[in-house]
Amino acid sequence: MREMKEFTTIEQMEADTAKLKEIACGLCVETFEDRKAAQQPQCKFGEDGICCRICSMGPCRVTPKAPYGICGADAHAIAGRHYLRMAAAGSAAHSDHAREIAHVLHKTSAAGPYTIKDPGKLLSIAAEWDIETEGRDLYDVAHEVAEVGLMEFGKPFGTLRMLCRGTEERQKVWEDEQIAPRAIDREVATSLHMTNMGNTADAEVLVRQSLRVGMADGWGGSMIGTDFTDILFGTPTVRTTTGNLGVLEENQINIVIHGHDPCFSEMIVLAAESKELIDYARGKGAQGINIAGLCCTANEATMRHGVRMAGNFLQQENALLTGAVEMMCVDVQCIFPALGRLQDCFHTKFITTSPICRIPGSTYVEFTADDAEHAYDKAKALVKEAIDNYENRKRDRIFIPTHTQEAVVGYPTGQIIAELDGVTNSHLGDDPRGSYKPAIDAIKAGVIRGAVAMVGCNNPKVRADYSHIEIMKELLANDILVVGSGCAAQAATKAGLLRYDAKELCGAGLKRVCTLVGIPPVLHMGACVDISRMMLLVTGIAKNWGIDTTQLPIVGCAPEWMSEKAVAIANYVVATGLDVYLGIEPQVKGSSQMMELITQGTRAIAGAGYVINKDPHELVRSIVDGIEAKRAALGI
Ligand code: SF4
Ligand code: MSK
């Protein structure tokens, strides 16, 4: 019998990080741990969300002695305004990423370099949006779909088109509660306007707008981003890859792609596959070109090309510290400015590519949709530059950790349902998969007790990846299926939880499902923007069950979140009717009213709210209890 490969423990990951940290110390360069230490104690007013610098009469800090800012704003208004600004900034980030993808879609042509990889998805969105397709050139249709998508950002009237994908009950909630988003940009601008000096000071109204601007992300920007990315680069399919820093290769040209927007990294991946450049690399003494990913660009590229994943958010400095990276090529979001200084100690070329993300110390090679026709040539030039840089490696400074894990990735919504449908239909001669019934039956029967969307980042406030991994393992043991995205999915990758044999960690019911269907118990759904896929998955289950999403034994969990994007996400997940379990407290603790609104108040609006607990073991117990309470309410 084949022996099962060990799972990687958090201690093994930490030992690797400690060795890389020693290298940093030896070179007298700082890492996030040093900077975190230098920031202690972190400002309590900021932590509690009760420092306001929205106008230049401030900054105003709320204390028992001074309970109001100069304008008279109280702690609830100040904390509420900053919370809404976080949600608006997060929504803006995801949505602007999507806008860039829409512009690239608008530049597609049969001549390339950007072509249509999923014409079926293009045609189905065209049909959904009443765009004529009969007898038309595919690229004409693509350009019109892109234009209609772009109108969603700034249209003057109506609400977002994709809201009609929701359950009827949800659509009514969104309409009745006035949280149905209008144009994406309008919700972001309205949020900034509402929080501008001298505007909304009512915390309840600020929380309601947070839900609305979050919805503009999840059912607008992110959903458009995901769908258009699939049209451009293909809807992901299941494939096997490898994860953790050990994917960097001692004898190959290592190019790390990092960020979120896959448009340029797709070209880097294609360029690195060209025979011309592989031969060039061999001519320089390397065995090949190894593309590895960080953060969500890794998630995008792995789902479509099997690109190996070097790690998540807090591993970005570690990747450079291996001394084995010829080039780190970044696009947007979650990129440490520290990389600009760190690269000076190594031969690594740090390349920024987006006007949205300019970092001192980097070399800027601009990529925008306006210049899409030259993207492949630019990518080739960069890959060649990385190859030329191989000879500059400081070989005495190389340390590549050895831990790697296999990972099965690429489960978009349709794939998950088709796989689960395989449980009952696998005996049939043809393959009529796609019914939600087996998935629903498995939940009703209790073979699967429920599901958790594990999402979010790393945050140095807690032990990196510990909460992700501990929570996921305990969920599996309780027969709760996990779908993951973003850095949470990468934590699962590093630990080995995306392997088929991770079913051994499951309770009897989930293990049986994984065995019958042939899936890992943690399903990799993609990047942060792909949480929109999760919203469609729960919506599909609810519709086919004949209930609303808020009744499902399905919740979201972000135990190590840090980004403003996570605030936007948490808001749209709650607005979709799913409770969100957080391991990091939102910065509103200084306002009892805000704490009550985000944990209880939203339940009256959307039927869901936050549960916050810094202890991962207590948090997972409350998730299990929450799921069991939903089951009891359904009588299953
Ligand atoms: Fe102070 Fe009010 Fe200005 Fe905020 S808006 S800085 S509380 S005066
Ligand atoms: S990369 S937003 S640290 S998930 Fe999407 Fe990871 Fe969070 Fe960035």
Side-chain angles (χ1 to χ4, degrees), residues 94 258-260 294-297 299 312-313 333-334 455-458 485-488 527-529 561-563 565-566 569:
H94 271 161
H258 175 19
H260 286 77
L294 279 169
C295 283
C296 284
T297 296
N299 287 318
N312 46 4
F313 181 61
Q333 303 168 16
C334 300
V455 300
C457 326
N458 299 125
S485 75
C487 291
C528 312
V529 288
W561 72 275
M562 63 84 202
S563 168
K565 291 177 288 173
I569 293 166

Side-chain angles (χ1 to χ4, degrees), residues 4-7 405-406 496-502 520-521:
M4 195 171 89
K5 194 182 170 208
E6 304 238 310
F7 295 102
Q405 283 287 347
E406 274 177 21
L497 302 182
L498 299 188
R499 287 174 7 211
Y500 289 118
D501 58 3

Side-chain angles (χ1 to χ4, degrees), residues 124-362:
S124 88
I125 292 174
E128 185 180 332
W129 290 355
D130 293 327
I131 292 169
E132 185 58 69
T133 57
E134 198 62 39
R136 287 182 75 186
D137 177 80
L138 195 64
Y139 285 91
D140 281 347
V141 176
H143 300 159
E144 190 172 344
V145 165
E147 276 174 35
V148 174
L150 284 164
M151 289 301 290
E152 292 295 277
F153 289 81
K155 64 186 182 186
F157 306 111
T159 53
L160 294 181
R161 288 170 176 271
M162 284 173 165
L163 298 181
C164 67
R165 294 177 172 186
T167 62
E168 272 179 30
E169 296 90 332
R170 273 299 104 183
Q171 292 186 53
K172 187 162 180 337
V173 167
W174 297 335
E175 203 55 49
D176 291 352
E177 296 294 339
Q178 297 187 327
I179 56 172
R182 299 154 295 180
I184 297 163
D185 290 350
R186 176 162 189 192
E187 296 309 345
V188 174
T190 294
S191 302
L192 293 180
H193 189 183
M194 286 172 75
T195 54
N196 187 244
M197 195 274 153
N199 283 323
T200 299
D202 182 330
E204 196 270 342
V205 178
L206 294 166
V207 166
R208 194 177 288 269
Q209 178 61 19
S210 302
L211 293 170
R212 196 172 202 177
V213 79
M215 285 289 296
D217 173 0
W219 290 79
S222 279
M223 208 169 269
I224 291 172
T226 292
D227 278 354
F228 284 13
T229 303
D230 285 351
I231 292 171
L232 274 167
F233 306 123
T235 300
T237 49
V238 178
R239 58 187 75 228
T240 303
T241 184
T242 319
N244 219 341
L245 284 171
V247 304
L248 298 173
E249 295 284 354
E250 177 119 29
N251 298 313
Q252 294 197 35
I253 312 295
N254 291 307
I255 300 176
V256 173
I257 49 176
H258 175 19
H260 286 77
D261 178 343
C263 288
F264 192 51
S265 56
E266 276 281 325
M267 293 296 129
I268 296 271
V269 172
L270 293 183
E273 285 170 356
S274 76
K275 184 172 178 316
E276 175 195 342
L277 286 172
I278 293 171
D279 288 346
Y280 187 66
R282 288 189 178 139
K284 295 280 179 174
Q287 287 175 358
I289 306 169
N290 179 39
I291 305 286
L294 279 169
C295 283
C296 284
T297 296
N299 287 318
E300 298 276 8
T302 199
M303 289 202 303
R304 298 189 178 86
H305 298 280
V307 161
R308 302 194 289 171
M309 296 186 277
N312 46 4
F313 181 61
L314 286 183
Q315 269 180 297
Q316 53 188 296
E317 287 170 300
N318 284 353
L320 275 192
L321 285 166
T322 62
V325 176
E326 273 57 57
M327 180 175 282
M328 184 179 284
C329 188
V330 305
D331 48 84
V332 291
Q333 303 168 16
C334 300
I335 294 144
F336 276 4
L339 297 175
R341 293 187 297 277
L342 189 55
Q343 64 146 12
D344 290 342
C345 300
F346 297 91
H347 73 303
T348 309
K349 288 184 184 274
F350 177 44
I351 310 291
T352 46
T353 59
S354 168
I356 300 295
C357 179
R358 301 288 305 265
I359 297 177
S362 67

Side-chain angles (χ1 to χ4, degrees), residues 235-561:
T235 300
T237 49
V238 178
R239 58 187 75 228
T240 303
T241 184
T242 319
N244 219 341
L245 284 171
V247 304
L248 298 173
E249 295 284 354
E250 177 119 29
N251 298 313
Q252 294 197 35
I253 312 295
N254 291 307
I255 300 176
V256 173
I257 49 176
H258 175 19
H260 286 77
D261 178 343
C263 288
F264 192 51
S265 56
E266 276 281 325
M267 293 296 129
I268 296 271
V269 172
L270 293 183
E273 285 170 356
S274 76
K275 184 172 178 316
E276 175 195 342
L277 286 172
I278 293 171
D279 288 346
Y280 187 66
R282 288 189 178 139
K284 295 280 179 174
Q287 287 175 358
I289 306 169
N290 179 39
I291 305 286
L294 279 169
C295 283
C296 284
T297 296
N299 287 318
E300 298 276 8
T302 199
M303 289 202 303
R304 298 189 178 86
H305 298 280
V307 161
R308 302 194 289 171
M309 296 186 277
N312 46 4
F313 181 61
L314 286 183
Q315 269 180 297
Q316 53 188 296
E317 287 170 300
N318 284 353
L320 275 192
L321 285 166
T322 62
V325 176
E326 273 57 57
M327 180 175 282
M328 184 179 284
C329 188
V330 305
D331 48 84
V332 291
Q333 303 168 16
C334 300
I335 294 144
F336 276 4
L339 297 175
R341 293 187 297 277
L342 189 55
Q343 64 146 12
D344 290 342
C345 300
F346 297 91
H347 73 303
T348 309
K349 288 184 184 274
F350 177 44
I351 310 291
T352 46
T353 59
S354 168
I356 300 295
C357 179
R358 301 288 305 265
I359 297 177
S362 67
T363 303
Y364 183 56
V365 178
E366 185 167 283
F367 166 78
T368 67
D370 293 340
D371 197 24
E373 55 271 35
H374 299 118
Y376 183 65
D377 294 336
K378 282 185 184 176
K380 273 181 89 173
L382 281 177
V383 173
K384 183 170 178 296
E385 201 177 323
I387 295 168
D388 288 337
N389 196 24
Y390 184 60
E391 65 187 17
N392 297 324
R393 261 196 203 178
K394 296 171 179 137
R395 295 196 178 265
D396 55 329
R397 286 194 188 166
I398 292 176
F399 167 68
I400 303 175
T402 51
H403 292 115
T404 58
Q405 283 287 347
E406 274 177 21
V408 185
V409 299
Y411 287 93
T413 307
Q415 183 81 39
I416 291 178
I417 290 306
E419 298 277 356
L420 288 173
D421 196 15
V423 185
T424 53
N425 285 331
S426 53
H427 63 285
L428 299 177
D430 52 358
D431 191 11
R433 298 190 300 174
S435 161
Y436 280 79
K437 190 170 180 303
I440 294 168
D441 286 348
I443 298 172
K444 280 184 180 170
V447 188
I448 299 175
R449 305 298 297 172
V452 174
M454 288 293 297
V455 300
C457 326
N458 299 125
N459 187 325
K461 284 184 174 164
V462 295
R463 197 175 165 190
D465 290 329
Y466 177 75
S467 300
H468 285 307
I469 293 167
E470 288 296 299
I471 289 172
M472 283 190 253
K473 282 183 177 171
E474 200 160 333
L475 292 173
L476 301 184
N478 279 280
D479 287 327
I480 294 169
L481 182 74
V482 174
V483 295
S485 75
C487 291
Q490 299 231 17
T493 306
K494 292 193 287 180
L497 302 182
L498 299 188
R499 287 174 7 211
Y500 289 118
D501 58 3
K503 69 184 179 190
E504 299 303 331
L505 300 171
C506 299
L510 183 56
K511 182 176 173 181
R512 190 158 165 263
V513 171
C514 292
T515 306
L516 276 171
V517 183
I519 51 170
V522 179
L523 300 174
H524 180 284
M525 284 192 87
C528 312
V529 288
D530 293 326
I531 297 169
S532 60
R533 295 190 201 275
M534 298 177 180
M535 298 304 98
L536 294 179
L537 179 63
V538 294
T539 298
I541 293 172
K543 279 183 179 173
N544 284 276
W545 191 324
I547 58 177
D548 187 26
T549 41
T550 197
Q551 295 172 271
L552 293 170
I554 298 177
V555 302
C557 178
E560 302 183 25
W561 72 275

